[in-house]
């Protein structure tokens, strides 16, 4: 297929003249690498990629896109399972060169540039014995994960990523620059906390940090046939567990590599990946009921530096894999839902998985209307992920994920975590913001009335009253 750029030459010349970074065009060195995202299923060819090296470059790129009405996408860390960080034919603002991190240990905060990955932040904060709640794969981009909400190992104790956001530097749709916080541009700050990339390009985030250095963590795996038994125990145990203990349930395949024993390599299993971030003196007593349950095939719990846990999945999921995701929030794990999990537990390919994350605790102490992230009463967040390196298996993994989701969705809370969504249509976006959607649409009309930032899980501007 011929992917010729449709961008006006005048726009490209004006932008290159205004930037210090490179403007990559098809056929130029670096273009192919710059258009790739983590999900190998995404194969889009932008007309140009603006490799921004500072905020002024971002402002110039946004102004050019606005002036010439160019299709625009924003690429942060480049994980982008949905592929919405890349557009065909249009302009991509690439933040990957904005990678600075500055820790303020006395204040317990960290300033993070918009192109950083989770690993960049962990590397900077860990020497100070600090961490910010993020996700579970260190190669994920801070920007996309944070703007969608952000859930991971520290969620039950310290909240979602957005609950720890103190301020954000934003380039708006007219190319102007503002800092949004509870004190300045508070409505924009509200929208950024869960509203995705709809409101501007975030060039820097300031997060609150917490004292986390070493954790007790690792998987406890069970036979796949125990899926129902483990889930019933898990749903009853987690709500009463200390918030310093987090664990996500999974179904998947044991990787054929250390530290897993050779006898388990390639075996279909269910299990829970645990993380205890509390006082290490009480770790044994907190984890005693976890270790006493069931008949595990493997108890992998051990003490590790927190960044080691954050990066443990990185080698399993390198860039270029073909992936298709579906997700939903759940108020409860019903018996009907457990029957669905048992039915679909045997994954179609070795890297495919289903993860069920607890999101009770600290996130539920934030009111549903306090941030754009709506599903504060949900107790669980599910991700169904079909993954394989072979593009020939794309239909197979997509079919499994969709059928699994369709069977599970009736027991859901009705909406999804946007970071676990593909490009699934406007109704799914609206459902995921619930009662906050109307306010988001009004703010979109205020900050981006022409919907320049639309290559995302889009919230169109509300029509004038």
């Amino acid at each position: 297929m011929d992917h010729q750029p449709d961008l006006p030459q005048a726009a490209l010349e004006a932008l290159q003249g205004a930037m210090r970074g490179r403007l990559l065009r098809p056929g130029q060195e670096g273009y192919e690498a710059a258009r790739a995202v983590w999900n190998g299923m995404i194969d889009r060819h932008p007309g140009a990629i603006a490799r921004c090296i500072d905020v002024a470059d971002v402002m110039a790129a946004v102004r050019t896109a606005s002036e010439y009405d160019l299709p625009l996408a924003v690429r942060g860390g480049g994980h982008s399972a949905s592929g919405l960080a890349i557009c065909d034919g249009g302009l991509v603002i690439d933040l990957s060169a904005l990678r600075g991190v500055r820790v303020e240990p006395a204040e317990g905060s960290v300033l993070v540039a918009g192109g950083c990955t989770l690993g960049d932040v962990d590397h900077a904060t860990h020497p100070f014995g600090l961490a910010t709640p993020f996700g579970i794969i260190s190669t994920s981009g801070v920007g996309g994960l944070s703007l969608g909400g952000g859930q991971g190992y520290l969620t039950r104790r310290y909240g979602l990523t957005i609950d720890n956001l103190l301020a954000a530097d934003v380039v708006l749709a007219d190319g102007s620059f503002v800092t949004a916080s509870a004190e300045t541009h508070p409505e924009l700050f509200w929208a950024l906390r869960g509203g995705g990339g709809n409101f501007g390009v975030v060039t820097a985030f300031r997060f609150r940090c917490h004292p986390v250095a070493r954790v007790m963590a690792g998987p406890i795996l069970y036979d796949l046939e125990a899926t129902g038994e483990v889930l019933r125990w898990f749903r009853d145990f987690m709500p009463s567990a200390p918030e310093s203990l987090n664990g996500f349930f999974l179904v998947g395949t044991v990787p054929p590599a250390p530290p897993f024993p050779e006898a388990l390599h390639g075996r279909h299993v269910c299990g829970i990946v645990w993380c205890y971030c509390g006082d290490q003196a009480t770790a044994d007593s907190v984890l005693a009921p976890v270790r006493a349950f069931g008949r595990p095939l493997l108890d992998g719990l051990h003490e590790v530096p927190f960044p080691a846990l954050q990066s443990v999945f990185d080698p399993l999921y390198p860039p270029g894999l073909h992936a298709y995701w579906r997700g939903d929030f759940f108020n409860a794990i019903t018996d009907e839902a457990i029957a669905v999990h048992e039915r679909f537990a045997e994954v179609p390919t070795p890297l495919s998985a289903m993860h069920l994350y607890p999101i009770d605790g600290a996130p539920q102490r934030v009111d549903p209307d306090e941030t754009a992230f709506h599903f504060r009463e949900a107790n669980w967040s599910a991700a169904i992920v079909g993954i394989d390196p072979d593009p020939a298996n794309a239909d197979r993994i997509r079919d499994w994920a969709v059928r699994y989701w369709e069977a599970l969705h009736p027991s859901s809370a009705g909406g999804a975590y946007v970071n676990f969504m593909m490009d699934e249509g406007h109704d799914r976006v609206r459902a995921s913001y619930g009662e906050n959607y109307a306010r988001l649409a009004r703010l979109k009309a205020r900050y981006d009335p022409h919907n320049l930032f639309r290559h995302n899980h889009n919230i169109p501007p509300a029509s004038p009253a």
Side-chain angles (χ1 to χ4, degrees):
M1 180 177 179
D2 188 16
H3 296 272
Q4 292 299 318
D6 53 7
L7 303 185
Q9 187 63 28
L12 297 175
E13 291 177 356
L15 179 53
Q16 184 61 86
M19 286 180 59
R20 292 182 66 201
R22 292 183 64 199
L23 187 64
L24 295 174
R25 304 285 303 280
Q28 292 182 340
E29 183 180 356
Y31 172 85
E32 288 297 317
R35 75 176 184 87
V37 291
W38 173 85
N39 188 356
M41 196 177 285
I42 307 304
D43 184 24
R44 296 188 178 132
H45 294 72
I49 301 172
R51 301 297 300 271
C52 301
I53 63 171
D54 55 24
V55 175
D57 280 359
V58 176
M59 295 169 72
V62 170
R63 286 175 181 148
T64 301
S66 179
E67 179 181 352
Y68 289 90
D69 192 25
L70 307 180
L72 179 68
V74 181
R75 183 185 194 276
H79 221 250
S80 191
S82 66
L84 293 173
I86 299 290
C87 59
D88 267 327
L91 176 66
V92 171
I93 293 177
D94 184 352
L95 304 179
S96 60
L98 277 63
R99 297 285 287 269
V101 180
R102 179 179 174 83
V103 183
E104 298 289 351
E107 298 177 6
S109 68
V110 60
L111 183 65
V112 181
C116 286
T117 65
L118 311 190
D120 293 332
V121 185
D122 290 336
H123 174 79
T125 57
H126 182 66
F128 297 97
L130 298 171
T132 295
F134 283 134
I136 68 164
I137 295 183
S138 75
T139 57
S140 300
V142 168
L145 179 135
S146 300
L147 294 173
Q151 60 186 42
Y153 294 112
L154 303 180
T155 296
R156 295 187 73 235
R157 184 170 188 183
Y158 295 122
L160 303 173
T161 304
I162 54 170
D163 300 335
N164 294 275
L165 183 63
L166 301 173
D169 292 344
V170 191
V171 177
L172 301 176
D174 62 359
S176 63
F177 174 89
V178 299
T179 296
S181 69
E183 292 76 33
T184 60
H185 299 277
E187 284 288 280
L188 176 61
F189 186 58
W190 178 90
L192 293 173
R193 288 176 290 164
N198 277 283
F199 300 93
V201 183
V202 179
T203 58
F205 301 82
R206 185 176 293 280
F207 295 108
R208 181 184 300 110
C209 294
H210 301 275
V212 179
R214 299 182 68 82
V215 295
M216 282 291 293
I220 296 184
L221 303 180
Y222 306 87
D223 190 274
L224 190 67
E225 292 184 357
T227 294
E229 177 189 359
V230 176
L231 265 176
R232 280 185 286 273
W233 174 82
F234 184 59
R235 72 177 177 184
D236 294 337
F237 173 76
M238 283 308 300
S240 61
E243 291 178 3
S244 53
L245 180 63
N246 203 314
F248 68 86
F249 176 86
L250 62 83
V251 295
T253 307
V254 177
F260 299 100
E262 190 172 344
L264 294 181
H265 289 181
R267 182 164 174 171
H268 292 291
V269 296
C270 68
I272 302 169
V273 179
W274 296 101
C275 173
Y276 173 68
C277 64
D279 184 352
Q280 292 301 303
T282 60
D284 288 344
S285 61
V286 171
L287 293 169
V290 168
R291 291 183 135 152
F293 168 73
R295 298 166 298 281
L297 302 172
L298 172 72
D299 180 340
L301 281 168
H302 60 293
E303 186 178 350
V304 294
F306 183 66
L309 174 64
Q310 284 277 82
S311 59
V312 72
F313 286 103
D314 294 1
L316 283 178
Y317 298 108
L321 298 172
H322 289 246
Y324 189 87
W325 296 34
R326 284 292 178 98
D328 263 328
F329 290 116
F330 296 84
N331 294 332
I333 304 173
T334 64
D335 289 342
E336 292 78 11
I338 289 176
V340 172
H341 289 300
E342 289 179 306
R343 176 180 160 197
F344 285 93
E346 188 166 327
V347 296
T349 60
L351 293 175
S352 297
M354 189 287 299
H355 291 179
L356 188 59
Y357 300 91
I359 53 171
D360 60 330
Q364 295 181 336
R365 291 192 286 276
V366 179
D367 290 337
D369 62 355
E370 194 171 328
T371 67
F373 186 98
H374 173 68
F375 280 89
R376 293 292 183 168
E377 296 180 357
N379 290 305
W380 313 93
S381 176
I384 302 165
V385 191
I387 301 182
D388 197 72
D390 188 349
N393 285 325
D395 289 342
R396 184 182 177 200
I397 60 177
R398 183 187 295 110
D399 177 68
W400 173 78
V402 171
R403 288 189 299 109
Y404 197 159
W405 177 84
E406 288 175 342
L408 198 58
H409 183 65
S411 66
S412 76
Y417 177 42
V418 292
N419 291 349
F420 289 164
M421 286 171 55
M422 303 300 283
D423 193 358
E424 299 172 31
H426 184 248
D427 288 346
R428 281 284 280 163
V429 175
R430 180 185 285 271
S432 295
Y433 290 110
E435 295 175 1
N436 288 337
Y437 183 87
R439 182 177 175 185
L440 284 164
R442 292 193 298 271
L443 289 169
K444 180 74 168 179
R446 175 179 170 185
Y447 285 100
D448 185 14
H450 303 295
N451 205 10
L452 178 68
F453 301 112
R454 59 184 179 271
H455 211 265
N456 46 39
H457 293 302
N458 192 234
I459 301 167
S463 301

